[in-house]
Amino acid sequence: MAFLNFVNSLGFVSTQSGINWGHSSGHVVNYDAYIPIRKNIIINNPGLIPRKSDQNTPFFVTWDNGVTMQMTFEGTQTINGVNYPKQLSSHPNKNDLGYYLRNRMKLFLPDGNLDSRIITLQDLNNYGTTGVNLTYTDRYYCSFK
């Protein structure tokens, strides 16, 4: 099992990537989100994250509450001359993950609509975790609690 943290090594939650990807200036839409895969996760958990040649093929992830979501490994980072993905994203809609995480965190506006604001470290701490536990046995499993 590996803990994929939304908090970076400086102790911050990015305002334009990861859980807040939908706030970047790139080709994104509101609620887009991804789970970052940092180099130390790949190094310390051999076999958990496939090499880049195996990525971008959609697969199903089962969440701790029973929800199943189609996802892909995306992006590229090189470790010891080998290319690995740098993020885990919902597929085909990048905002499915963002909707899901915000619903789990109960980030709603007073009118009952989902809040699209930037998620902060305080929001994650209030929820009770700053990231996702990822495991693989016969398939991938994520826990966000």
Side-chain angles (χ1 to χ4, degrees):
M1 174 174 40
F3 184 69
L4 308 179
N5 206 337
F6 291 115
V7 178
N8 65 26
S9 61
L10 300 174
F12 298 104
V13 176
S14 173
T15 59
Q16 296 186 344
S17 64
I19 201 166
N20 291 310
W21 191 19
H23 289 278
S24 76
S25 58
H27 293 98
V28 295
V29 296
N30 213 9
Y31 303 107
D32 277 1
Y34 65 82
I35 301 168
I37 302 169
R38 295 189 170 77
K39 288 184 179 184
N40 67 313
I41 295 299
I42 294 167
I43 292 167
N44 295 325
N45 299 276
L48 180 63
I49 308 297
R51 294 175 178 218
K52 182 161 173 66
S53 62
D54 298 328
Q55 74 175 11
N56 293 335
T57 300
F59 56 92
F60 288 96
V61 170
T62 302
W63 290 85
D64 57 280
N65 63 350
V67 168
T68 300
M69 183 180 297
Q70 191 170 8
M71 302 186 86
T72 58
F73 288 113
E74 299 180 338
T76 303
Q77 59 183 323
T78 303
I79 302 169
N80 299 324
V82 178
N83 291 333
Y84 290 93
K86 66 175 187 168
Q87 64 200 43
L88 180 58
S89 302
S90 52
H91 179 85
N93 302 310
K94 307 300 180 210
N95 60 2
D96 287 346
L97 179 61
Y99 281 118
Y100 175 78
L101 295 172
R102 287 169 186 274
N103 272 291
R104 288 282 304 262
M105 296 173 69
K106 299 187 183 334
L107 296 180
F108 297 102
L109 296 169
D111 65 6
N113 288 315
L114 199 58
D115 194 343
S116 64
R117 67 181 168 79
I118 291 173
I119 294 174
T120 66
L121 178 58
Q122 186 63 51
D123 292 323
L124 292 167
N125 286 333
N126 288 346
Y127 178 69
T129 187
T130 60
V132 172
N133 282 308
L134 179 69
T135 57
Y136 182 84
T137 51
D138 57 332
R139 64 182 305 161
Y140 282 99
Y141 297 90
C142 283
S143 176
F144 184 59
K145 59 181 181 178

Short mmCIF file of all heavy atoms in Angstrom, two decimals, residues 59-87:
data_model
loop_
_atom_site.label_atom_id
_atom_site.label_comp_id
_atom_site.label_asym_id
_atom_site.label_seq_id
_atom_site.Cartn_x
_atom_site.Cartn_y
_atom_site.Cartn_z
N PHE A 59 -8.52 1.39 -16.68
CA PHE A 59 -8.76 0.26 -15.79
C PHE A 59 -9.70 0.74 -14.69
O PHE A 59 -9.94 1.93 -14.54
CB PHE A 59 -7.44 -0.27 -15.19
CG PHE A 59 -6.65 0.78 -14.48
CD1 PHE A 59 -6.80 0.97 -13.11
CD2 PHE A 59 -5.74 1.58 -15.16
CE1 PHE A 59 -6.07 1.95 -12.44
CE2 PHE A 59 -5.01 2.56 -14.50
CZ PHE A 59 -5.17 2.75 -13.14
N PHE A 60 -10.23 -0.19 -13.94
CA PHE A 60 -11.18 0.17 -12.89
C PHE A 60 -10.51 0.15 -11.53
O PHE A 60 -9.72 -0.75 -11.22
CB PHE A 60 -12.39 -0.76 -12.91
CG PHE A 60 -13.29 -0.50 -14.08
CD1 PHE A 60 -13.19 -1.26 -15.24
CD2 PHE A 60 -14.23 0.53 -14.04
CE1 PHE A 60 -14.00 -1.01 -16.33
CE2 PHE A 60 -15.04 0.79 -15.13
CZ PHE A 60 -14.93 0.02 -16.27
N VAL A 61 -10.85 1.15 -10.73
CA VAL A 61 -10.40 1.26 -9.35
C VAL A 61 -11.63 1.14 -8.47
O VAL A 61 -12.66 1.76 -8.74
CB VAL A 61 -9.70 2.63 -9.10
CG1 VAL A 61 -9.44 2.86 -7.63
CG2 VAL A 61 -8.41 2.72 -9.90
N THR A 62 -11.52 0.36 -7.41
CA THR A 62 -12.60 0.25 -6.43
C THR A 62 -12.22 1.07 -5.21
O THR A 62 -11.12 0.90 -4.66
CB THR A 62 -12.84 -1.22 -6.03
OG1 THR A 62 -13.17 -1.97 -7.20
CG2 THR A 62 -13.99 -1.32 -5.03
N TRP A 63 -13.11 1.97 -4.82
CA TRP A 63 -12.89 2.83 -3.66
C TRP A 63 -13.38 2.16 -2.40
O TRP A 63 -14.20 1.23 -2.44
CB TRP A 63 -13.58 4.18 -3.87
CG TRP A 63 -12.91 4.99 -4.93
CD1 TRP A 63 -13.12 4.92 -6.27
CD2 TRP A 63 -11.89 5.97 -4.74
NE1 TRP A 63 -12.30 5.80 -6.93
CE2 TRP A 63 -11.54 6.47 -6.02
CE3 TRP A 63 -11.25 6.49 -3.62
CZ2 TRP A 63 -10.56 7.44 -6.20
CZ3 TRP A 63 -10.29 7.46 -3.80
CH2 TRP A 63 -9.95 7.92 -5.06
N ASP A 64 -12.93 2.65 -1.26
CA ASP A 64 -13.26 2.06 0.04
C ASP A 64 -14.75 2.06 0.34
O ASP A 64 -15.22 1.29 1.17
CB ASP A 64 -12.50 2.77 1.16
CG ASP A 64 -12.78 4.25 1.18
OD1 ASP A 64 -12.17 4.98 0.37
OD2 ASP A 64 -13.60 4.70 2.00
N ASN A 65 -15.54 2.90 -0.33
CA ASN A 65 -16.99 2.93 -0.10
C ASN A 65 -17.75 2.11 -1.15
O ASN A 65 -18.96 2.19 -1.24
CB ASN A 65 -17.50 4.36 -0.06
CG ASN A 65 -17.31 5.11 -1.36
OD1 ASN A 65 -16.63 4.64 -2.28
ND2 ASN A 65 -17.90 6.28 -1.46
N GLY A 66 -17.02 1.33 -1.97
CA GLY A 66 -17.65 0.47 -2.95
C GLY A 66 -17.82 1.07 -4.33
O GLY A 66 -18.19 0.36 -5.28
N VAL A 67 -17.56 2.35 -4.49
CA VAL A 67 -17.67 3.00 -5.80
C VAL A 67 -16.55 2.48 -6.71
O VAL A 67 -15.41 2.32 -6.28
CB VAL A 67 -17.58 4.54 -5.66
CG1 VAL A 67 -17.40 5.22 -7.01
CG2 VAL A 67 -18.80 5.08 -4.94
N THR A 68 -16.90 2.20 -7.96
CA THR A 68 -15.92 1.79 -8.96
C THR A 68 -15.80 2.91 -9.98
O THR A 68 -16.80 3.46 -10.44
CB THR A 68 -16.38 0.49 -9.66
OG1 THR A 68 -16.49 -0.53 -8.67
CG2 THR A 68 -15.37 0.06 -10.70
N MET A 69 -14.56 3.28 -10.30
CA MET A 69 -14.29 4.40 -11.20
C MET A 69 -13.27 3.96 -12.24
O MET A 69 -12.26 3.35 -11.90
CB MET A 69 -13.76 5.58 -10.39
CG MET A 69 -13.51 6.84 -11.19
SD MET A 69 -12.86 8.19 -10.15
CE MET A 69 -14.20 8.46 -9.01
N GLN A 70 -13.52 4.32 -13.49
CA GLN A 70 -12.54 4.05 -14.54
C GLN A 70 -11.47 5.12 -14.47
O GLN A 70 -11.77 6.32 -14.40
CB GLN A 70 -13.21 4.04 -15.90
CG GLN A 70 -12.32 3.52 -16.99
CD GLN A 70 -13.06 3.28 -18.30
OE1 GLN A 70 -14.22 3.63 -18.46
NE2 GLN A 70 -12.37 2.68 -19.25
N MET A 71 -10.20 4.69 -14.52
CA MET A 71 -9.08 5.62 -14.37
C MET A 71 -7.95 5.24 -15.31
O MET A 71 -7.97 4.16 -15.92
CB MET A 71 -8.60 5.63 -12.91
CG MET A 71 -9.70 6.00 -11.93
SD MET A 71 -9.14 6.19 -10.23
CE MET A 71 -8.62 7.92 -10.29
N THR A 72 -6.97 6.14 -15.44
CA THR A 72 -5.76 5.88 -16.22
C THR A 72 -4.55 6.47 -15.50
O THR A 72 -4.67 7.43 -14.74
CB THR A 72 -5.80 6.50 -17.63
OG1 THR A 72 -6.00 7.90 -17.52
CG2 THR A 72 -6.88 5.89 -18.48
N PHE A 73 -3.39 5.87 -15.76
CA PHE A 73 -2.13 6.46 -15.35
C PHE A 73 -1.71 7.39 -16.47
O PHE A 73 -1.75 7.02 -17.65
CB PHE A 73 -1.05 5.38 -15.15
CG PHE A 73 -1.26 4.55 -13.92
CD1 PHE A 73 -1.57 3.20 -14.01
CD2 PHE A 73 -1.13 5.12 -12.66
CE1 PHE A 73 -1.75 2.43 -12.88
CE2 PHE A 73 -1.30 4.35 -11.52
CZ PHE A 73 -1.62 3.01 -11.63
N GLU A 74 -1.29 8.62 -16.13
CA GLU A 74 -0.97 9.63 -17.14
C GLU A 74 0.31 10.39 -16.80
O GLU A 74 0.81 10.32 -15.69
CB GLU A 74 -2.10 10.65 -17.26
CG GLU A 74 -3.42 10.04 -17.68
CD GLU A 74 -4.53 11.06 -17.78
OE1 GLU A 74 -4.43 12.13 -17.15
OE2 GLU A 74 -5.49 10.79 -18.50
N GLY A 75 0.76 11.17 -17.78
CA GLY A 75 1.96 11.99 -17.59
C GLY A 75 3.21 11.14 -17.61
O GLY A 75 3.15 9.92 -17.75
N THR A 76 4.35 11.80 -17.49
CA THR A 76 5.63 11.09 -17.53
C THR A 76 6.60 11.69 -16.53
O THR A 76 6.73 12.91 -16.43
CB THR A 76 6.25 11.17 -18.93
OG1 THR A 76 5.32 10.65 -19.89
CG2 THR A 76 7.55 10.38 -19.01
N GLN A 77 7.27 10.81 -15.81
CA GLN A 77 8.43 11.18 -15.00
C GLN A 77 9.44 10.06 -15.16
O GLN A 77 9.08 8.90 -15.28
CB GLN A 77 8.05 11.41 -13.54
CG GLN A 77 7.43 10.21 -12.85
CD GLN A 77 7.02 10.54 -11.43
OE1 GLN A 77 7.69 11.28 -10.73
NE2 GLN A 77 5.90 9.97 -11.00
N THR A 78 10.71 10.42 -15.22
CA THR A 78 11.77 9.44 -15.44
C THR A 78 12.50 9.16 -14.14
O THR A 78 12.94 10.08 -13.45
CB THR A 78 12.75 9.94 -16.52
OG1 THR A 78 12.00 10.21 -17.71
CG2 THR A 78 13.82 8.90 -16.82
N ILE A 79 12.62 7.88 -13.83
CA ILE A 79 13.33 7.44 -12.63
C ILE A 79 14.34 6.39 -13.04
O ILE A 79 13.96 5.34 -13.59
CB ILE A 79 12.35 6.87 -11.57
CG1 ILE A 79 11.30 7.93 -11.21
CG2 ILE A 79 13.10 6.38 -10.35
CD1 ILE A 79 10.16 7.41 -10.39
N ASN A 80 15.61 6.68 -12.82
CA ASN A 80 16.69 5.75 -13.20
C ASN A 80 16.58 5.31 -14.65
O ASN A 80 16.75 4.14 -14.97
CB ASN A 80 16.71 4.53 -12.27
CG ASN A 80 16.97 4.93 -10.82
OD1 ASN A 80 17.72 5.86 -10.55
ND2 ASN A 80 16.32 4.23 -9.91
N GLY A 81 16.26 6.25 -15.53
CA GLY A 81 16.20 5.98 -16.97
C GLY A 81 14.92 5.29 -17.44
O GLY A 81 14.81 4.95 -18.61
N VAL A 82 13.97 5.09 -16.54
CA VAL A 82 12.72 4.42 -16.89
C VAL A 82 11.57 5.42 -16.75
O VAL A 82 11.50 6.15 -15.75
CB VAL A 82 12.47 3.19 -15.99
CG1 VAL A 82 11.15 2.52 -16.32
CG2 VAL A 82 13.62 2.20 -16.09
N ASN A 83 10.68 5.45 -17.73
CA ASN A 83 9.53 6.35 -17.69
C ASN A 83 8.37 5.73 -16.94
O ASN A 83 7.99 4.58 -17.21
CB ASN A 83 9.09 6.73 -19.10
CG ASN A 83 10.09 7.61 -19.80
OD1 ASN A 83 10.83 8.35 -19.16
ND2 ASN A 83 10.12 7.54 -21.11
N TYR A 84 7.82 6.51 -16.00
CA TYR A 84 6.66 6.13 -15.21
C TYR A 84 5.62 7.24 -15.30
O TYR A 84 5.95 8.39 -15.59
CB TYR A 84 7.04 5.95 -13.73
CG TYR A 84 7.90 4.75 -13.47
CD1 TYR A 84 9.29 4.85 -13.46
CD2 TYR A 84 7.32 3.51 -13.20
CE1 TYR A 84 10.07 3.74 -13.20
CE2 TYR A 84 8.11 2.40 -12.95
CZ TYR A 84 9.48 2.52 -12.94
OH TYR A 84 10.26 1.42 -12.70
N PRO A 85 4.36 6.93 -15.00
CA PRO A 85 3.35 8.00 -14.97
C PRO A 85 3.54 8.88 -13.75
O PRO A 85 4.15 8.48 -12.75
CB PRO A 85 2.03 7.22 -14.88
CG PRO A 85 2.39 5.92 -14.26
CD PRO A 85 3.79 5.61 -14.70
N LYS A 86 3.00 10.10 -13.83
CA LYS A 86 3.10 11.02 -12.70
C LYS A 86 1.76 11.31 -12.04
O LYS A 86 1.71 12.05 -11.06
CB LYS A 86 3.77 12.32 -13.13
CG LYS A 86 2.97 13.14 -14.12
CD LYS A 86 3.64 14.47 -14.40
CE LYS A 86 2.72 15.32 -15.26
NZ LYS A 86 3.16 16.69 -15.33
N GLN A 87 0.68 10.71 -12.57
CA GLN A 87 -0.62 10.96 -11.96
C GLN A 87 -1.61 9.87 -12.29
O GLN A 87 -1.45 9.13 -13.26
CB GLN A 87 -1.18 12.31 -12.42
CG GLN A 87 -1.47 12.38 -13.90
CD GLN A 87 -1.55 13.81 -14.39
OE1 GLN A 87 -0.73 14.64 -14.03
NE2 GLN A 87 -2.56 14.09 -15.21
#
